[in-house]
Amino acid sequence: MTELVLREDREGLCTLTLNRPEALNALSPNLFVELRRHVDAIAEQTETVGCVILCGKGRSFSAGNDLKAIQAGERAPSRHFQAETLEAIERLPQPVIAAVQGHCYTGSLELALACDLLIAAEDARFADTHGKWAMSPSWGMTQRLPRRVGLINAKELMFSGRVVGGAEAVTLGLANRCVPAGELIDAAEAMARSFLANSWFTLRADKMLVNGGLDRGLSEGLRFERTEGPGAGPDMAERLKEFGR
């Protein structure tokens, strides 16, 4: 049976690849079950996994929610399983980079927004098409998109359903950078390796404190950083020793 999500681990970098290229990696319930299994495992592997890349095989990251699979009878294990899986990705201790080429529509845009960072190929196409189908978002679009691109940009994208290319995604703040399609994975891996060269302890602390602060006002967020920060990492002494050489 074909795996719907592939996992590859190399020197602290874990790459998860959506593996339904014949269906433009449409997000079927069964794909989500496999994705969740990998995410839950990675969450417990902080000593061996320092960073994660999420990408799609073939010419698209993902065309979005697989309505055909749902019509055919596929069902997720619970009512909000997909949304909860995106929250599990967001809660991963490790930084997560989305590498997006081709289609990234609606449900798959919500999936990409659950990742910490995003690198877009020049041929990437982002859109929220809930309005086209008279559907309401339930996987986090109304909360994550405004936080990523700002309120008025998010509303315009959601109300219009218009398609945004890779270069404009960078301008809007949706993506960190835009690269030629043939360089997408290399660019994502280079970004990941630049993170992995630093303390994995600090990577996890930074992510936890930033995400935790987003749920608070400024003064409470500052207090959260002071009281919940984990302090120095176990590798600090060795890193300082290397600095002095």
Side-chain angles (χ1 to χ4, degrees):
M1 186 173 178
T2 302
E3 293 179 275
L4 302 179
V5 180
L6 305 176
R7 174 174 174 173
E8 179 185 10
D9 289 84
R10 288 187 297 110
E11 300 173 329
L13 174 59
C14 176
T15 301
L16 297 179
T17 304
L18 308 181
N19 188 35
R20 298 187 69 207
E22 75 290 345
L24 299 178
N25 297 317
L27 303 173
S28 66
N30 288 342
L31 183 149
F32 261 101
V33 169
E34 289 193 23
L35 179 60
R36 179 67 165 274
R37 190 182 306 125
H38 287 300
V39 169
D40 288 347
I42 292 167
E44 302 299 322
Q45 296 167 347
T46 55
E47 296 303 312
T48 55
V49 177
C51 189
V52 179
I53 292 174
L54 178 64
C55 59
K57 187 174 183 179
R59 62 191 181 93
S60 288
F61 176 73
S62 171
N65 197 10
D66 192 342
L67 301 180
K68 291 182 179 178
I70 295 172
Q71 291 168 350
E74 279 192 34
R75 292 291 181 269
S78 60
R79 181 182 178 187
H80 299 299
F81 186 82
Q82 289 92 332
E84 291 164 356
T85 299
L86 268 57
E87 291 172 12
I89 292 171
E90 195 168 50
R91 288 196 307 269
L92 275 175
Q94 304 91 339
V96 183
I97 303 167
V100 176
Q101 82 282 13
H103 304 85
C104 186
Y105 289 174
T106 316
S108 59
L109 176 54
E110 290 173 303
L111 173 59
L113 287 167
C115 301
D116 299 292
L117 305 163
L118 194 156
I119 296 182
E122 291 174 347
D123 67 354
R125 296 294 179 266
F126 303 90
D128 174 20
T129 62
H130 282 103
K132 183 176 181 180
W133 310 112
M135 299 173 69
S136 299
S138 62
W139 294 1
M141 184 75 76
T142 64
Q143 302 307 303
R144 294 191 180 98
L145 188 61
R147 285 169 168 80
R148 181 69 65 89
V149 303
L151 183 61
I152 60 172
N153 285 328
K155 286 183 175 180
E156 189 262 332
L157 292 173
M158 293 171 67
F159 296 164
S160 68
R162 74 179 179 88
V163 177
V164 170
E168 187 180 359
V170 174
T171 300
L172 289 170
L174 176 60
N176 294 84
R177 63 188 64 158
C178 178
V179 300
E183 300 174 12
L184 178 63
I185 297 303
D186 287 344
E189 290 188 359
M191 176 182 281
R193 293 294 173 196
S194 74
F195 300 163
L196 292 171
N198 289 323
S199 169
W200 296 10
F201 171 89
T202 302
L203 295 179
R204 296 193 298 269
D206 285 347
K207 179 171 178 175
M208 181 272 290
L209 291 170
V210 169
N211 286 356
L214 289 174
D215 295 329
R216 297 164 168 81
L218 177 59
S219 61
E220 189 179 350
L222 292 170
R223 189 177 306 111
F224 176 78
E225 181 184 86
R226 292 194 298 270
T227 60
E228 300 301 321
D235 52 343
M236 186 180 78
E238 184 61 31
R239 286 176 172 271
L240 291 174
K241 186 188 299 183
E242 289 295 322
F243 178 75
R245 290 178 181 173

